[in-house]
């Protein structure tokens, strides 16, 4: 026998479990966003010169120790490595994520600027949107933009 309070305890356990899952989802989303931001930044910096932790810290506006911890984790996950000069280089997996994140950023930025949003605001909002919008919604928006472009209705 389960006792008189069983249904309430069961519902509370389900609610608690649901809250824990949402917190875990939020934490993993933040982790993914951080990883994507780092990989995109390394990709962009590598277009100009060797990438060192100091440059990443400056670009992201975070401390060098924070960068060091994040880069170590990304290196362990196989997204980047160091070359003979101790500069960071993206692996194939890291490059794939960095390029996809950058493409999403550029797409959202262009969309917002086409809608009349100033460049600075569009860039900041695109940085949020590149992580928040599902792949399905992103692809639909991208397709819409391409259709408008080819039909001449920009």
């Amino acid at each position: 026998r389960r006792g008189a309070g069983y249904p309430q305890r069961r519902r509370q356990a389900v609610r608690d479990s649901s809250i824990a899952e949402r917190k875990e989802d939020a934490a993993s989303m933040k982790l993914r966003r951080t990883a994507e931001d780092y990989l995109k930044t390394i990709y962009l910096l590598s277009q100009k010169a060797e990438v060192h932790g100091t440059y990443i810290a400056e670009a992201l506006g975070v401390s060098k120790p924070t960068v060091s911890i994040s880069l170590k984790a990304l290196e362990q996950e196989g997204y980047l490595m160091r070359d003979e000069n101790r500069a960071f280089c993206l692996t194939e997996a890291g490059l794939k994520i960095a390029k996809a994140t950058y493409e999403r950023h550029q797409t959202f930025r262009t969309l917002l600027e086409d809608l009349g949003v100033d460049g600075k605001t569009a860039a900041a909002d695109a940085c949020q949107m590149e992580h928040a919008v599902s792949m399905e919604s992103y692809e639909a928006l991208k397709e819409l933009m391409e259709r408008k472009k080819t039909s001449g209705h920009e």
Side-chain angles (χ1 to χ4, degrees):
R1 227 180 99 162
R2 296 185 174 145
Y6 177 75
Q8 289 83 10
R9 287 194 310 269
R10 173 89 175 113
R11 280 193 295 274
Q12 184 62 43
V14 169
R15 273 195 300 272
D16 291 348
S17 170
S18 174
I19 291 168
E21 286 174 12
R22 283 196 300 269
K23 285 181 181 177
E24 189 175 296
D25 287 347
S28 70
M29 203 163 123
K30 184 178 181 192
L31 187 63
R32 188 188 85 226
R33 178 197 163 110
T34 300
E36 288 174 348
D37 282 343
Y38 273 81
L39 296 173
K40 179 181 76 173
T41 299
I42 293 167
Y43 171 68
L44 294 173
L45 291 172
S46 71
Q47 305 298 305
K48 300 173 189 162
E50 285 188 341
V51 181
H52 295 276
T54 304
Y55 307 147
I56 298 166
E58 287 174 14
L60 293 173
V62 297
S63 71
K64 288 186 251 180
T66 298
V67 168
S68 180
I69 291 166
S70 297
L71 293 177
K72 185 175 182 178
L74 290 170
E75 192 171 5
Q76 288 173 342
E77 292 175 30
Y79 294 123
L80 55 90
M81 59 187 177
R82 288 182 178 232
D83 67 13
E84 62 279 354
N85 297 325
R86 307 282 298 148
F88 288 96
C89 304
L90 296 171
T91 62
E92 202 171 308
L95 184 61
K96 182 178 179 181
I97 293 169
K99 283 183 173 182
T101 304
Y102 181 65
E103 178 188 305
R104 287 169 65 95
H105 177 87
Q106 290 300 100
T107 300
F108 287 125
R109 182 177 179 165
T110 300
L111 172 66
L112 293 170
E113 287 177 346
D114 287 352
L115 292 170
V117 177
D118 73 273
K120 188 175 180 179
T121 303
D125 289 347
C127 197
Q128 300 294 318
M129 295 169 74
E130 71 194 35
H131 307 291
V133 174
S134 71
M135 187 53 77
E136 180 182 359
S137 294
Y138 168 70
E139 291 296 333
L141 284 168
K142 188 173 157 185
E143 188 177 307
L144 175 67
M145 289 176 61
E146 289 171 2
R147 278 199 316 263
K148 285 187 162 245
K149 192 175 181 179
T150 58
S151 69
H153 291 84
E154 289 190 62

